[in-house]
Amino acid sequence: MGDDKTDVQQTAQTAQTAQTAQTAQTVPAGSRVGIVGAGTMGIGVAQCFAEAGRPVVVVDNDPGALASGPARLRAGIRTATLLRRQSGVPAQAGAPAPRAESLVTWSAGLADMAAAELVVECAREDEDIKEGILRELDRVCGAEAIFASNTSCIPVSRLGSFTGRPDRVIGTHFMNPAPLKDAVEVIRAPETSDVTLERTKGFLARIGKHALVVRDAPGFVTNRVLMLTLNEAAAVLGEGTADAETVDRVFQDCFGHPMGPLRTADLIGLDTIADSLEVLRRHTGEDRFRPCPLLARLVAEGNVGRKSGSGFYQYAQYSPQHLTARGGTGHG
């Protein structure tokens, strides 16, 4: 007699695989994808699509971000391949590493997004910057193109209002590092159409991601909760309740988190966290989202985490190249 629990799990997995395959069929295999922003998230999302065999164009107006983009993409592919191999995860279906790199082109102009069927906006968390990008994309892209924002906190309905196609604007909040996270928080605004939602889920299914669909609100689910946690962890550290290592060990040992809140904050980037908290404070009107003094000081000093070489921790692997990881201030 078989293990009933195992049989149920296998049945559920088979059903999910079949559903994912069916959803993926809503998107043609050769669809071109545009990524706005050659920062950490932009490069990671571009890698996801390129490894799945998709042609990708990455646009950023920062010459430094563009110049370092190919090297950071190669490093990301090598790292992801090694980690998958170590954890026993099957190799990514689609293009092998050299082919994946060749599928990505680099540009300083949004006009090169004209042929994209999906554009993932990965600019920094600044509403004015995103407004300028979305208005220009609305002008240059085809009428059926979907605009998917990787915004971490700004309501998607607000972003859609900057375009003449709010029904084709959706949130796709990839987790960092994007190539190693299977789930994407997909945010549906009231204006987002059924077709846009299904096509977006299809794009994600084709790169091996599953969509967790939530309703539109400031910070959605992930960052409405996470940003407060990271900010409070920084406040606890700043008040001297515990050192950074102990704060993180509490979350790891007591709650089973793979890494604590302070290491998570350093990985995300303290500047990104401060920006996100300010967006949440503005859109909710709640002062609890104000960055705590320690977080604000570290950002002002330029100690923003792994990409700068120091944050709540010091990182020996620091190199000047990391300074370009945020991308430009106009196009990501």
Side-chain angles (χ1 to χ4, degrees), residues 28 61 69 77 80 85 87 90 103 110 125 172 192 196 202 248 270 273 281 331:
N61 67 348
I77 293 173
R85 186 179 301 125
S87 60
L103 287 171
L110 289 174
E125 195 70 355
T172 50
T192 305
T196 295
D248 282 340
L270 306 192
I273 291 167
R281 189 161 70 98
H331 297 160

Side-chain angles (χ1 to χ4, degrees), residues 5 8 11 31 55 69 82 120 137 142 183 255 275 286 323 329:
K5 183 177 180 181
V8 169
T11 301
S31 302
L82 177 62
V120 184
L137 288 173
F255 304 130
D275 286 347
E286 298 179 17
L323 292 175
T329 56

Side-chain angles (χ1 to χ4, degrees), residues 193-272:
S193 71
D194 291 343
V195 172
T196 295
L197 177 61
E198 290 308 311
R199 287 191 67 208
T200 301
K201 289 164 66 177
F203 273 106
L204 294 174
R206 280 194 173 272
I207 64 172
K209 308 294 185 188
H210 67 271
L212 297 173
V213 182
V214 303
R215 294 173 61 183
D216 196 21
F220 328 122
V221 173
T222 50
N223 282 336
R224 184 66 173 264
V225 176
L226 179 63
M227 291 300 146
L228 278 175
T229 301
L230 302 184
N231 198 37
E232 284 300 304
V236 165
L237 175 64
E239 292 164 5
T241 306
D243 60 22
E245 184 68 33
T246 303
V247 171
D248 282 340
R249 284 294 299 275
V250 167
F251 276 79
Q252 291 173 282
D253 295 355
C254 296
F255 304 130
H257 290 200
M259 65 170 64
L262 299 178
R263 284 195 179 86
T264 298
D266 277 353
L267 177 63
I268 294 171
L270 306 192
D271 50 350
T272 299

Side-chain angles (χ1 to χ4, degrees), residues 61-77:
N61 67 348
D62 179 351
L66 280 182
S68 67
R72 288 186 285 126
L73 176 64
R74 285 193 296 273
I77 293 173

